[in-house]
Amino acid sequence: MSKKTWLFLLPFIIFLMGAVFLFKGLYSDPTKLESVMVDKEVPVFTLQDIYDLNKQHDRSIFKGRPMLLNVWATWCPTCYGEHTYLKQLAGQGIPIVGMNYKDERDKAIKWLAELGNPYEVNFYDPDGMLGLDLGVYGAPETFFIDSQGIIRYRHVGDVNPEIWASTLKPIFDAMKSGQL
């Protein structure tokens, strides 16, 4: 092909590449964000308890039994929407640890007082450093952590009855039985 032909086809080739890229994005599932932390231990951290400034939490909290780590914030409308269901799960004996993410402590405490607290423990990540280490994109996100402190699954978006029944409960049950 001559140089003129290539110059003529170049805009068309660029257009096709862009169209393929955009088309692929239309059919991707935003809740299936890959996480490099899956099958790795929870990162090392020390964070304050949301209620008690003198109490510190570290990753040892995730040892001993499978649990969920729910990343939430008062500025997150989806977190508000999932909160009632998290309380139901906690009432069924599902252990949930909360991580208040890039939020204001006073607002978070007021929010929990008004809506109820589904979390066994709740720590405060005001600058988002643990969130960064976990690869958090935003809130809500929920990490499934096995009894050894290994992250087994990451769910982006709200936890609701449909998603719990179809996807998340089988994962949690597999962690409880030691199959995952």
Side-chain angles (χ1 to χ4, degrees):
M1 278 191 190
S2 71
K3 189 175 181 179
K4 275 187 166 184
T5 306
W6 275 111
L7 287 174
F8 177 74
L9 289 177
L10 187 61
F12 181 69
I13 292 169
I14 292 171
F15 169 77
L16 278 179
M17 289 172 44
V20 167
F21 177 76
L22 292 173
F23 185 77
K24 183 180 174 190
L26 285 174
Y27 294 98
S28 66
D29 184 353
T31 65
K32 300 273 188 207
L33 295 172
E34 296 297 320
S35 174
V36 297
M37 293 306 299
V38 170
D39 295 329
K40 293 194 170 71
E41 192 169 6
V42 172
V44 174
F45 72 92
T46 303
L47 289 173
Q48 288 179 330
D49 187 87
I50 193 112
Y51 297 108
D52 185 352
L53 300 173
N54 297 314
K55 187 172 185 177
Q56 301 285 314
H57 298 287
D58 61 32
R59 71 179 177 177
S60 67
I61 199 161
F62 296 111
K63 303 282 177 138
R65 64 189 171 138
M67 60 185 66
L68 309 181
L69 170 61
N70 179 253
V71 179
W72 68 278
T74 61
W75 46 260
C76 165
T78 307
C79 297
Y80 183 86
E82 84 172 345
H83 195 80
T84 299
Y85 191 66
L86 291 178
K87 289 191 307 185
Q88 289 178 19
L89 289 177
Q92 296 169 19
I94 305 295
I96 307 171
V97 171
M99 183 176 86
N100 183 248
Y101 178 69
K102 294 186 176 182
D103 207 351
E104 295 177 36
R105 176 181 259 127
D106 294 340
K107 284 183 180 179
I109 291 170
K110 181 180 176 196
W111 199 71
L112 291 170
E114 290 173 1
L115 299 177
N117 186 354
Y119 307 109
E120 291 183 0
V121 173
N122 210 331
F123 41 85
Y124 183 55
D125 188 16
D127 57 6
M129 291 311 294
L130 177 56
L132 182 67
D133 290 344
L134 288 168
V136 170
Y137 285 85
E141 290 189 25
T142 303
F143 294 85
F144 287 59
I145 302 171
D146 72 12
S147 60
Q148 303 301 311
I150 306 296
I151 298 168
R152 295 300 178 187
Y153 188 78
R154 172 181 173 218
H155 173 72
V156 177
D158 69 322
V159 174
N160 61 53
E162 295 80 26
I163 291 170
W164 180 257
S166 67
T167 304
L168 303 179
K169 185 178 186 310
I171 293 167
F172 187 76
D173 290 344
M175 283 188 344
K176 277 181 27 181
S177 68
Q179 296 174 347
L180 184 62

